[in-house]
Amino acid sequence: MAGSVSVQSVNGSSAKNRSLRAQASEGDLETAKIQVKSSGNVYPYVGIACLGAFLFGYHLGVVNGALEYLSKDLGITENTVLQGWVVSALLAGATIGSFTGGLLADKIGRTKTFMLDVIPLAAGVFLSGIAKSVETMILGRVLTGVGIGISSAIVPLYISEISPTEIRGTLGSVNQLSICIGILAALVAGLPLAGNPLWWRTMFTIALVPSVLLAVGMAFSPESPRWLYQQGRIAEAEVSIKRLFGKERVAEVMGDLDAAGRDSSEPEAGWLDLFSNRYRKVVSVGAALFLFQQFAGINAVVYYSTSVFRTAGIKSDVAASALVGVANVIGSTVAISLMDKQGRKSLLITSFAGMRNYCRHYSYKFVAFWSRNVLHLCVSVSLLSKGASMLLLSLTFSWKALTPYSGTLAVLGTVLYVLSFSLGAGPVPALLLPEIFASRIRAKAMALSLGTHWISNFVIGLYFLSIVNRFGLSTVYLGFGSVCILAIMYVSGNVVETKGRSLEEIELALA
């Protein structure tokens, strides 16, 4: 796949840029830029969009601390099936929301979809907070799930379409960081529970605040220039570009949109078009990345983290959750600095590879890290930790020789796994997919991919304990490690590198 050399200037020729890009090799993706001070500012709008990602993380995490208390309040302490439905109802709603979000984003635009999203988000948390019965709680969780399903589809889509090419990876990674911060916020929100068992109601209803802020903020945010252009609203697209990138880049961005429009003047794709010969392969990449992400075991590791930490003498559930949450935030923060330097594909491969190979390489790599700069250190940590830490966890549960050290090794493996996941396998799929999907299928293909994510998440949550009881935790963890190997092979052969390319360039290259 050809790389790119992007020459940016106020009056630069888009034809010349495309010629230079076509001549670049795959390994030569560095960008030569003539820096122009921009009068636009994309950062506030990325921040507003990330409120949706924050809510995503918050609602995923809030029930973990509140479940014990709401179960007592609603009289379902002895009914694990109903407790499971309180947890899983969110995932069922999210599956619906992810498909709905793609449809709405294409029909009414990205910003209006955000504003409409406040309805299920607000209604869901309100019902959850006032619930006097488990039926009302489950309905509230389903509606909240619809809201976060919509957010999960349109936050990365909107950010990718409003971000400048040279920092699109960095800004896209903020989505995952916001999810992690949301999960940590849910943990902090649960601290008063020990002294006030009814605090769980406040934990749910307080989420009304960022929901309303998201809707209000989007009312003042620019629409995606690419969506406006596709709708034939050229003048509005130019105004949006000016607000986002500055008036200096209006001609350049419009030139890229014109070039892509001439090569792809077809109408908006339907759902069946996603399965046509033309798009089947690229759409399958989206589904596969989310399947690998889920079946590599992230939810199982997090689910068991509390009990694993107890074996190491960490008795506080809050401390255990905080340790995992902090590792997640640290990894996501580092990923932001790496995404536009190392590239999406390389981070995916190193993340999955490290999950598999930690035991064999840890000692050597650890020494080598300190002789390199911080970025190389972080990439190497990713390389060392994910499949390797899964192998470490598996051995901890099955190898008798490690029994005296099982607690410490299990904690180490868990933290390294979460850290590595957040460096690559976590943030990259949501960032990469809006980049590789053609504009006419982008929203629907994102919705389909996120639907795969939520369905697989639901299935794992539903059947994981049964599989562990039948085959044993060690065997299941080894299976997760095998998934990491398959992921490396798949990513190496099927995923293209998008670092340093505009969305229009990527669309033309994959056409």
Side-chain angles (χ1 to χ4, degrees), residues 92-370:
T95 303
I96 299 170
S98 63
F99 287 102
T100 305
L103 181 64
L104 290 173
D106 271 346
K107 294 297 182 185
I108 65 175
R110 289 31 169 166
T111 55
K112 289 183 179 178
T113 300
F114 273 112
M115 289 185 281
L116 197 61
D117 191 28
V118 76
I119 297 175
L121 284 172
V125 298
F126 178 75
L127 287 176
S128 299
I130 67 167
K132 300 297 183 181
S133 68
V134 68
E135 291 82 7
T136 303
M137 169 59 69
I138 290 174
L139 176 60
R141 291 286 285 172
V142 169
L143 287 174
T144 303
V146 170
I148 68 167
I150 293 173
S151 296
S152 69
I154 61 173
V155 171
L157 176 65
Y158 180 71
I159 292 176
S160 71
E161 291 187 341
I162 68 168
S163 298
T165 299
E166 60 272 15
I167 57 171
R168 190 177 61 242
T170 297
L171 296 182
S173 301
V174 177
N175 173 52
Q176 178 71 15
L177 176 61
S178 300
I179 294 173
C180 298
I181 293 174
I183 294 173
L184 268 183
L187 171 67
V188 173
L191 293 178
L193 277 170
N196 182 7
L198 294 180
W199 178 256
W200 70 266
R201 297 185 180 277
T202 303
M203 291 171 65
F204 282 98
T205 54
I206 199 173
L208 281 169
V209 176
S211 301
V212 172
L213 289 176
L214 174 63
V216 173
M218 276 297 158
F220 297 95
S221 297
E223 182 54 83
S224 161
R226 290 172 176 82
W227 182 82
L228 290 170
Y229 184 91
Q230 291 164 11
Q231 304 302 308
R233 296 157 62 175
I234 306 303
E236 293 176 66
E238 291 178 344
V239 172
S240 181
I241 294 169
K242 183 177 180 180
R243 290 180 65 186
L244 292 167
F245 309 137
K247 62 183 179 180
E248 303 84 2
R249 297 189 64 173
V250 171
E252 174 194 343
V253 177
M254 286 302 297
D256 286 340
L257 292 173
D258 286 337
R262 285 193 298 271
D263 288 278
S264 180
S265 57
E266 302 164 273
E268 176 186 311
W271 286 103
L272 291 179
D273 291 327
L274 301 183
F275 304 97
S276 66
N277 290 334
R278 178 178 177 184
Y279 295 120
R280 186 186 304 137
K281 182 176 180 180
V282 71
V283 171
S284 68
V285 170
L289 288 182
F290 278 115
L291 284 173
F292 283 127
Q293 182 193 73
Q294 293 302 305
F295 284 97
I298 180 61
N299 290 316
V301 171
V302 173
Y303 182 85
Y304 267 91
S305 61
T306 300
S307 60
V308 165
F309 290 165
R310 283 176 181 170
T311 66
I314 302 176
K315 304 300 182 183
S316 170
D317 292 352
V318 172
S321 299
L323 190 56
V324 171
V326 169
N328 213 354
V329 170
I330 291 174
S332 299
T333 303
V334 173
I336 292 175
S337 65
L338 293 175
M339 203 63 67
D340 286 311
K341 295 181 175 67
Q342 301 296 329
R344 288 60 149 162
K345 184 174 181 177
S346 62
L347 282 182
L348 273 177
I349 293 174
T350 54
S351 180
F352 282 116
M355 290 160 57
R356 189 70 183 88
N357 295 307
Y358 171 79
C359 287
R360 186 175 62 183
H361 296 298
Y362 176 73
S363 298
Y364 163 75
K365 290 291 185 180
F366 184 80
V367 174
F369 288 163
W370 297 102

Side-chain angles (χ1 to χ4, degrees), residues 8-23:
Q8 296 181 357
S9 62
V10 175
N11 58 353
S13 165
S14 61
K16 181 179 180 181
N17 288 345
R18 290 193 298 275
S19 175
L20 287 172
R21 290 164 184 151
Q23 295 171 13

Side-chain angles (χ1 to χ4, degrees), residues 378-450:
C378 297
V379 174
S380 298
V381 168
S382 176
L383 175 62
L384 290 175
S385 50
K386 202 173 177 191
S389 49
M390 184 59 72
L391 179 60
L392 179 62
L393 285 169
S394 177
L395 292 175
T396 297
F397 292 120
S398 60
W399 197 3
K400 292 183 179 180
L402 294 178
T403 300
Y405 315 101
S406 60
T408 302
L409 291 176
V411 170
L412 178 62
T414 298
V415 172
L416 286 171
Y417 181 95
V418 173
L419 177 63
S420 180
F421 178 88
S422 62
L423 281 169
V428 170
L431 167 63
L432 180 71
L433 301 191
E435 296 179 325
I436 65 174
F437 292 145
S439 56
R440 68 186 297 261
I441 67 165
R442 187 170 292 141
K444 289 185 176 66
M446 278 295 297
L448 180 64
S449 300
L450 265 298

